[in-house]
Structure formats: structure tokens, C-alpha cells
Amino acid sequence: MAAPRLVLLGKQGAGKGTQSVRLAEHYAVPHLSTGDMFRAQAALGTAFGLEARRFMDQGELVPDDVVIGVIEECLAPGGPLEGGFVLDGFPRTLPQAKALDRLIKSHPVDVVVDLEVPTDIVIDRIAGRRVCTLCQRVYHVNMPPKVNWTCDDDGAPVVQRDDDTEEAVMRRLALYESQTKPIIDHYRAQDLLVTVDGIGDGDDVFERIVEAVEKRLAQG
Ligand code: AP5
Ligand code: MG
């Protein structure tokens, strides 16, 4: 079977990052999170990263042309995503979804997974989320790293994200409703959408996603 091209949708805190890492490992394809990319650039202090951070910290979206410009390079023929991928956090607006269709016309997305979790649960998850400042690995206060809030993988500090303030989270959730939800209909119309229940144990959620993806892939 060819390496799949997967897109993970879901509101903030639904578990996109958590599950994308596992899916990328399972299918041996790269995981691309635009949020992780922007945070890494901001931590390095690049002009691009600092500009992106201005939007992120307010809970606003980075402008479409900037995001599409970055993704375009990754999706170019011969680029890192040519042989399959898990996209996490992109696309997140209708113009981004249409740009993605255009960019990978010759090798389109196979399955779009919509991870469904109610808002009260995601707010709770985000409040307890902590991330590695170096590799962006996601933890939770209920599932901390082994040693004193340093990352199990690289030993870097594990902290709360700058955009996980109550104000920014509310803005991000509002933008999800107005900007990202319309993408669900876009992919439903293309018959690419599978909806997966994102509540419960992370292992169970992972199994549900793989089952739904396999079923959809088998349909061709
Ligand atoms: P991004 O980094 O993508 O953030 P987000 O969309 O707000 O999504 P999150 O990362 O908050 O949630 P997640 O679904 O990944 O949840 P996670 O796995 O961490 O984007 C940040 C910002 O960058 C945007 O606001 C925007 O400014 C900018 N940006 C990025 N992409 C953009 C784009 N395409 N266009 C424009 N702007 C863009 O899980 C959350 C917590 O829950 C964790 O603590 C985790 O341990 C826990 N958890 C996970 N699964 C479970 C489970 N099953 N049970 C219990 N706890 C769980
Ligand atoms: Mg994430």
C-alpha cells in the first residue's frame, strides 16, 4: 500500500498533535504541524517566526498567503511531503483547503479525519497542556514527563504554550467555528471525510482513527 496522505481536523485541544505523531509513526510518513513550525521559528527568533507569534499569541490566524507560501514549499514535487503525510493544523480556512487541492492535484489527499470532541472537554485539556520548548512534544499535567518538567526525548523545559491563555483560547475556538468548520463540508463534498470520536483514552482514539482510515483507504 502506498503511504497515505492524511489531514487531521478538529478544534483546539481535540488531540490533533497527539494523534498525528502516532499516525505519522504508524504509517511512516512525515507529520507537518503548521503551529509547531511557527512556534519553532518564533523560538529561533527569525523575522518570520516573530511575525507569526504576533498573531498566535492573540489567538488570531496567521494570514492565508503566509501559511500557503510556507506549505507550498513543503508540498512541491520532490519535496519532503511527496511520499505521503499527516497534516495537522493545515488547512484551517477554505482558501487554504482550496490551495491544498490545487498544490497536490496530481497526488490528492486520501482521507480527512475530523476528530470530534465537545468544547467543554477541549477547554479542560488545553488548561492542563504542557509542551516541550524544543521538540514541541505534547504533555498534560495528568501525564507529565518523567523528570521534573523536562522532556523525556530531549531534556528541554516543558512549559505552557503562550497562546493557551483563556482569552486566546476563546478567540481560537471562535475562529474554528467561523473559519475552519466550513472545511468539513468542503471535504464531505469530495467524499474524503471520516468523523472519529476523540473522547476517551488516547490509545482507543488512535485505534478508532486507524480503523476509520483503513476502511476509507480500502474503498479506494
Ligand atoms: P496549533 O498549534 O495548530 O494549535 P490549535 O489549532 O489551537 O490546536 P492545538 O494544538 O491547541 O490542539 P491539538 O488538537 O493539537 O491538541 P493536543 O494534541 O495538543 O496552532 C496554533 C496557532 O498557530 C493558531 O492559533 C494560529 O495562530 C497559528 N496557525 C497554525 N496553523 C495555521 C494555519 N493553517 N493558518 C493560520 N494560522 C495558523 O492535545 C491537547 C491536550 O489534550 C494535551 O495536553 C494532550 O496531552 C491532551 N490530550 C490529547 N488527547 C487526549 C485524550 N484522548 N484524552 C485526554 N487528554 C488528551
Ligand atoms: Mg496541536
Side-chain angles (χ1 to χ4, degrees), residues 11-18 20 31 33 35-36 39 88-89 92 129 131 136 138 161 172:
K11 43 175 91 105
Q12 289 68 21
K16 299 183 296 296
T18 305
S20 290
H31 162 217
S33 155
D36 286 356
R39 277 186 291 280
D88 156 16
R92 137 175 3 215
R129 170 167 55 197
V131 295
Q136 315 276 338
V138 178
R161 259 169 55 175
R172 282 154 60 200

Side-chain angles (χ1 to χ4, degrees), residues 30-208:
H31 162 217
L32 189 138
S33 155
T34 38
D36 286 356
M37 274 172 74
F38 297 157
R39 277 186 291 280
Q41 288 291 316
L44 287 172
T46 65
F48 167 75
L50 297 177
E51 175 70 4
R53 179 186 272 168
R54 282 201 311 123
F55 294 97
M56 294 167 80
D57 287 355
Q58 305 297 317
E60 298 295 335
L61 294 177
V62 176
D64 282 337
D65 55 338
V66 176
V67 181
I68 293 166
V70 170
I71 283 282
E72 200 162 9
E73 244 179 88
C74 303
L75 289 167
L81 302 183
E82 196 179 32
F85 50 72
V86 180
L87 293 185
D88 156 16
F90 178 89
R92 137 175 3 215
T93 65
L94 211 42
Q96 290 181 19
K98 289 181 178 169
L100 180 63
D101 291 349
R102 178 173 49 78
L103 289 169
I104 57 171
K105 217 179 197 162
S106 58
H107 47 280
V109 168
D110 295 305
V111 188
V112 176
V113 177
D114 179 24
L115 208 46
E116 273 198 334
V117 182
T119 301
D120 56 330
I121 296 185
V122 299
I123 288 175
D124 217 45
R125 287 184 184 178
I126 291 174
R129 170 167 55 197
R130 303 292 183 268
V131 295
C132 171
T133 45
L134 191 60
C135 71
Q136 315 276 338
R137 179 168 165 182
V138 178
Y139 296 89
H140 192 274
V141 288
N142 297 333
M143 289 178 289
K146 294 188 188 82
V147 183
N148 196 24
W149 291 104
T150 54
C151 181
D152 292 345
D153 293 337
D154 53 39
V158 171
V159 301
Q160 190 155 29
R161 259 169 55 175
D162 289 338
D163 62 344
D164 278 351
T165 60
E166 193 182 338
E167 211 179 13
V169 169
M170 288 307 162
R171 178 65 184 146
R172 282 154 60 200
L173 285 167
L175 283 170
Y176 174 81
E177 292 297 321
S178 64
Q179 303 294 310
T180 308
K181 258 200 169 164
I183 299 181
I184 292 176
D185 287 336
H186 175 78
Y187 286 122
R188 190 176 284 122
Q190 296 185 21
D191 200 20
L192 292 175
L193 190 78
V194 295
T195 302
V196 174
D197 179 4
I199 305 175
D201 185 78
D203 291 344
D204 295 340
V205 175
F206 177 68
E207 275 175 31
R208 272 178 231 148

